[in-house]
Amino acid sequence: MTYSYTKRANALEYFASILSCDAIGKTKPHPDVYALAKQDVEGDVWMVAAHPGILQVPPALGKRTAFIKKEEKDYLGVYPQLEIIASDLVEAANQIVEG
């Protein structure tokens, strides 16, 4: 499904690979879903999301995190601390690159 959406958006050229939890038959927050992102990858793995619930597990698994406050404007203090909180995907990407 993720591949289909990306293809329909004419965005496939921007990704080295597309991963989906469909491939392992598990869903978030199962740790295997997050481990899938680290397969065959050198360097940092970033989890970028607009919903804070999705970002609860990655820090514990060594993933770096960025929250896009497009949908939910506030990132509540009850959630784990994130590295980046941005207003949109472009701002998050720029902060990741500037690192």
Side-chain angles (χ1 to χ4, degrees):
M1 184 177 260
T2 304
Y3 179 87
S4 299
Y5 289 145
T6 308
K7 183 176 181 180
R8 199 169 24 184
N10 294 318
L12 287 175
E13 67 184 278
Y14 300 107
F15 298 91
S17 63
I18 296 174
L19 307 172
S20 172
C21 55
D22 295 338
I24 59 171
K26 298 175 184 172
T27 61
K28 295 177 289 243
H30 195 284
D32 287 353
V33 173
Y34 299 98
L36 179 67
K38 189 66 176 164
Q39 285 181 200
D40 305 320
V41 175
E42 295 179 22
D44 294 331
V45 173
W46 282 86
M47 179 72 175
V48 180
H51 301 286
I54 294 173
L55 298 170
Q56 301 309 299
V57 176
L61 298 175
K63 309 292 187 281
R64 301 182 76 181
T65 52
F67 174 63
I68 309 298
K69 56 184 181 177
K70 199 82 165 164
E71 297 292 320
E72 298 180 37
K73 301 295 183 196
D74 296 317
Y75 187 80
L76 303 176
V78 297
Y79 296 129
Q81 183 64 38
L82 302 177
E83 290 183 63
I84 292 175
I85 297 177
S87 60
D88 59 34
L89 189 55
V90 172
E91 181 184 333
N94 284 334
Q95 288 185 45
I96 289 169
V97 170
E98 291 169 3

